[in-house]
């Protein structure tokens, strides 16, 4: 699974902090959509005008290029809302997480072609990307077929920019936090880079050589959280090269440290898997 955090993309030029007056030629074609909670609007934000439209969810921006389907953009918006307001009462569940995301001006960009990510990034913001063609709202109907990777990429934004900043000693992605101590057990040791071979008994064996230690922590949080919520129950054959604790029962019995962390009510983590139908 990929984890392309946009703050790691090399900036192509220095951004100015003044208002961006660039007019996106596709803006006139923007339609608001029919979602009861979220409206698609034309985008003219500084440094991101190649993305012609956006949806704002609890003050967090989700941008999309012209080639992204409206249904996929709105699906990502609903997932983000459900991650932040899992009980769907109209209020974010954890104020500290939300404050951290707003403080770091968190954003998601949705792309159609990878070249869409060859952009100038705005300063002072942290983002995550999501591809149009890896977004599959239909997966939630039967939890079979092409997996909805939006569940992963949207969660990365929430955990990396939200939880890791709000609770650095607990969810921080550096060595020695509650999360990474559990991860080191899951990997069979503390590895700053991908080992040639994981120790026998490791259940988290991600092997992307471009993924450094903090990236590994972000991915670990994703695997554990979505397994707890039931997203991976039917996917063991697909994911066992990276992760084997694909059910809540396996997670509780074989990784009790992360299970205890993710079920600790102090952090108000999701208890229901988002399905893209936020109902506040």
């Amino acid at each position: 699974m990929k984890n392309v955090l946009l703050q790691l993309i090399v900036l192509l030029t220095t951004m100015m902090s003044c208002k961006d007056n660039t007019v996106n030629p596709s803006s006139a074609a923007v339609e608001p959509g029919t979602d009861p909670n979220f409206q698609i609007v034309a985008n003219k934000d500084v440094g991101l005008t190649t993305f012609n439209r956006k949806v704002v969810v609890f003050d967090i921006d989700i941008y999309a290029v012209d080639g992204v389907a409206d249904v996929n953009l709105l699906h990502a918006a609903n997932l983000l809302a459900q991650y932040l307001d899992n009980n769907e009462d109209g209020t974010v569940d954890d104020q500290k997480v939300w404050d951290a995301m707003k403080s770091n001006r968190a954003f998601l960009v949705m792309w159609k072609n990878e070249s869409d990510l060859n952009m100038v990034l705005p300063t002072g913001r942290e983002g995550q990307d999501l591809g149009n063609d890896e977004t599959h709202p239909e997966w939630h109907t039967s939890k079979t077929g092409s997996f909805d990777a939006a569940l992963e990429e949207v969660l990365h934004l929430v955990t990396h920019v939200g939880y890791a900043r709000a609770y650095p000693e607990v969810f921080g992605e550096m060595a020695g936090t509650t999360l990474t101590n559990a991860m080191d057990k899951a990997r069979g040791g503390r590895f700053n880079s991908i080992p040639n071979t994981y120790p026998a008994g490791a259940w988290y064996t991600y092997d992307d050589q471009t993924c450094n230690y903090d990236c590994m922590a972000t991915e670990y949080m994703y695997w554990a959280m979505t397994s707890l919520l039931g997203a991976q129950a039917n996917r063991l054959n697909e994911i066992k090269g990276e992760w084997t604790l694909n059910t809540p029962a396996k997670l509780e019995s074989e990784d009790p440290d992360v299970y205890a962390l993710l079920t600790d009510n102090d952090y108000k983590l999701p208890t229901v898997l988002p399905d893209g139908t936020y109902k506040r």
Side-chain angles (χ1 to χ4, degrees), residues 84-178:
L84 293 174
D85 174 23
N86 199 239
N87 63 8
E88 302 188 31
D89 65 355
T91 303
V92 293
D93 298 327
D94 193 308
Q95 183 72 37
K96 289 182 68 175
V97 169
W98 188 38
D99 287 345
M101 294 183 73
K102 290 191 295 179
S103 177
N104 289 281
R105 300 181 66 204
F107 68 101
L108 185 79
V109 291
M110 296 190 67
W111 51 276
K112 174 63 178 177
N113 302 302
E114 289 189 359
S115 60
D116 295 327
L117 296 176
N118 295 332
M119 71 182 98
V120 176
L121 294 181
T123 55
R125 302 195 70 173
E126 292 200 42
Q128 172 69 40
D129 76 280
L130 169 63
N132 178 74
D133 296 346
E134 62 183 356
T135 303
H136 297 285
E138 70 281 359
W139 177 85
H140 295 268
T141 301
S142 63
K143 293 185 173 59
T144 59
S146 297
F147 182 67
D148 183 22
L151 278 171
E152 175 180 2
E153 309 307 340
V154 174
L155 182 59
H156 283 337
L157 183 68
V158 174
T159 62
H160 176 73
V161 188
Y163 277 91
R165 305 301 176 85
Y167 304 101
E169 294 181 356
V170 180
F171 295 102
E173 296 162 343
M174 73 293 286
T177 69
T178 306

Side-chain angles (χ1 to χ4, degrees), residues 23-31 42 49-53 65-66:
V23 177
N24 189 315
S26 300
S27 296
V30 171
E31 297 292 339
T49 52
T50 55
F51 298 85
N52 74 315
R53 63 209 198 281
V65 297
D66 192 48

Side-chain angles (χ1 to χ4, degrees), residues 200-246:
W203 56 89
Y204 175 41
T205 54
Y206 193 46
D207 62 0
D208 182 349
Q209 294 293 334
T210 67
C211 194
N212 57 18
Y213 189 84
D214 62 340
C215 165
M216 293 295 297
T218 303
E219 295 289 335
Y220 175 63
M221 182 73 173
Y222 156 72
W223 282 121
M225 191 76 251
T226 55
S227 295
L228 179 65
L229 299 181
Q232 311 299 344
N234 299 325
R235 304 187 68 226
L236 182 59
N237 287 337
E238 297 174 57
I239 68 176
K240 61 185 178 182
E242 300 179 18
W243 176 257
T244 60
L245 307 187
N246 65 308

